Amino acid sequence: MSTPRSATGESPGTPPATGADPHRHQDAEQALGTTGTAHRQVGSAEAAAAGIAWWDADADDYHATHGGFLGDEDFVWCPEGLREADARLLGEVAGARVLEVGAGSAPCARWLIRNGADAVALDISGGMLRHARAANERTGVPVPLVQANAEYLPIADASMDAACSAFGAVPFVASVEAVFGEVARVLRPGGRWVFAVTHPMRWIFPDDPGPLGLTVTQPYFDRTPYVEVDETGRATYVEYHRTLGDYVRALTAAGLVLDELLEPEWPPGHDRIWGQWSPLRGRLFPGTAIFRCTNGTR
C-alpha cells in the first residue's frame, strides 16, 4: 500500500502536520531537489517520470516508517487497518489469477499466494520493487514482479480472474480512464476489480492529522493535481484528485460495474497516525474509499 503523500498541499518547508514526523520526506525532497509546489495540470509522461523518481527516492524511508504495519505477507487495504482476511472483497482467491496494481513491496500479492492464488505484482518504481525482491527472499514467497506504468499493463487480454490495488497507482496517474480500461482488458468476463484510494472528500481538508486538518481549505471540485516541483519547474511528485462521480463515470466507461463502495470506519483502539490519518479525523469523516467492481461487458 503506497498511501499518498498529501491531499491538499503540504508544501516543502512549511510547518509539519500536527503529530507527524517533520522529516518524513526530507531525504526524498533533497534527492530530487524539491523546492515548492505548482498549481497546474500534469500529463501522463511527466506524472510517470515523477512517480518513478519519487517512489525510488522515498522507498527506503517509506518502508522504515510503514513496513511494520504493512508486514511482508499481509493484505491491508487502508490505514484504518481493514484486512482482506476479514473483508474478503476479492472473494475466493484459491486458484485465482490475480494482478496487484501499484504493489509497492508486494505484501498483498504475497498474502494472496499464501492463500492459494497465482498472483503477479506490478509497480512503476524500481526502488519499491527492490523492497519486494528483498521480502520475497525473507519469506520464501516468490511473487513475480513487473515494473510498468498502470496506464499500459503488459498483461494479456482476459488473462486475470481478479485485480486489486491498495492505494497503489490510481492516485498518481494522469488518466484513471486508461487504468480502468486496461484493468477491464486484462480481466476475464465477470472478473473482479477492487481498489482503495484516499476518500475524495479528504481533498478539501489540509493534510494534517490534528485539529488544523478539520477546516475546509480546498474546493472539492478543483481537480488540479497536487504538484511538487524542483527549481526548474519539473514535477517531482504528482497526486491527482477525482470526485466520487469521476470514479463512477470512469468505471462505467470501461465496462466495469460498481458492486459496492466501502468507507471503512476508524476502529476502536486504533491509535496509529499515518500521514493525515488519525483517530481524531477518523472519528469524524472517512479517510478511505474502496471500490468493488465486476468486469461486466468484456
Side-chain angles (χ1 to χ4, degrees):
M1 177 172 62
S2 302
T3 50
R5 166 172 181 185
S6 173
T8 59
E10 178 201 345
S11 303
T14 60
T18 305
D21 177 2
H23 306 297
R24 56 182 169 153
H25 301 299
Q26 180 174 293
D27 290 345
E29 289 176 359
Q30 290 180 347
L32 298 176
T34 302
T35 59
T37 60
H39 189 77
R40 64 174 173 84
Q41 297 297 327
V42 177
S44 291
E46 187 179 13
I52 294 170
W54 172 263
W55 292 109
D56 282 357
D58 198 50
D60 291 347
D61 288 344
Y62 178 87
H63 285 93
T65 302
H66 302 303
F69 178 73
L70 296 174
D72 279 342
E73 46 184 297
D74 196 2
F75 197 140
V76 185
W77 277 108
C78 53
E80 289 85 355
L82 181 68
R83 284 173 161 76
E84 177 62 12
D86 301 315
R88 296 293 178 180
L89 300 181
L90 291 170
E92 179 56 59
V93 298
R97 298 162 296 172
V98 185
L99 173 66
E100 184 182 7
V101 181
S105 58
C108 299
R110 221 165 277 112
W111 181 92
L112 288 165
I113 288 177
R114 286 290 195 194
N115 283 270
D118 180 10
V120 176
L122 179 147
D123 200 278
I124 198 171
S125 165
M128 297 297 272
L129 293 176
R130 173 170 51 82
H131 282 270
R133 288 193 296 274
N136 280 358
E137 294 176 3
R138 283 195 301 271
T139 62
V141 182
V143 177
L145 306 174
V146 179
Q147 185 172 6
N149 185 337
E151 294 175 304
Y152 308 96
L153 298 176
I155 306 293
D157 294 1
S159 61
M160 293 289 160
D161 298 305
C164 60
S165 184
F167 281 82
V170 175
F172 310 108
V173 296
S175 176
V176 74
E177 294 82 4
V179 174
F180 293 168
E182 282 289 271
V183 167
R185 177 184 63 79
V186 305
L187 284 177
R188 63 166 175 78
R192 186 165 290 182
W193 165 231
V194 185
F195 67 98
V197 293
T198 302
H199 198 290
M201 74 168 293
R202 283 286 176 107
W203 190 261
I204 70 177
F205 298 100
D207 184 37
D208 191 314
L212 294 178
L214 304 180
T215 302
V216 171
T217 59
Q218 176 82 4
Y220 178 75
F221 297 105
D222 182 358
R223 293 156 171 93
T224 308
Y226 172 74
V227 186
E228 294 178 3
V229 296
D230 63 16
E231 63 182 5
T232 70
R234 177 183 60 90
T236 59
Y237 178 92
V238 183
E239 180 188 332
Y240 292 86
H241 165 60
R242 282 102 187 180
T243 68
L244 285 173
D246 292 339
Y247 281 118
V248 172
R249 282 187 292 273
L251 289 167
T252 300
L256 296 157
V257 177
L258 177 61
D259 298 315
E260 186 178 12
L261 171 61
L262 294 89
E263 299 164 298
E265 296 186 33
W266 194 265
H270 186 46
D271 59 1
R272 190 179 197 277
I273 292 177
W274 180 321
Q276 58 156 301
W277 278 263
S278 68
L280 173 64
R281 286 159 65 96
R283 287 195 301 267
L284 297 173
F285 47 83
T288 299
I290 304 177
F291 296 78
R292 185 172 64 85
C293 314
T294 301
N295 193 20
T297 63
R298 296 170 185 259

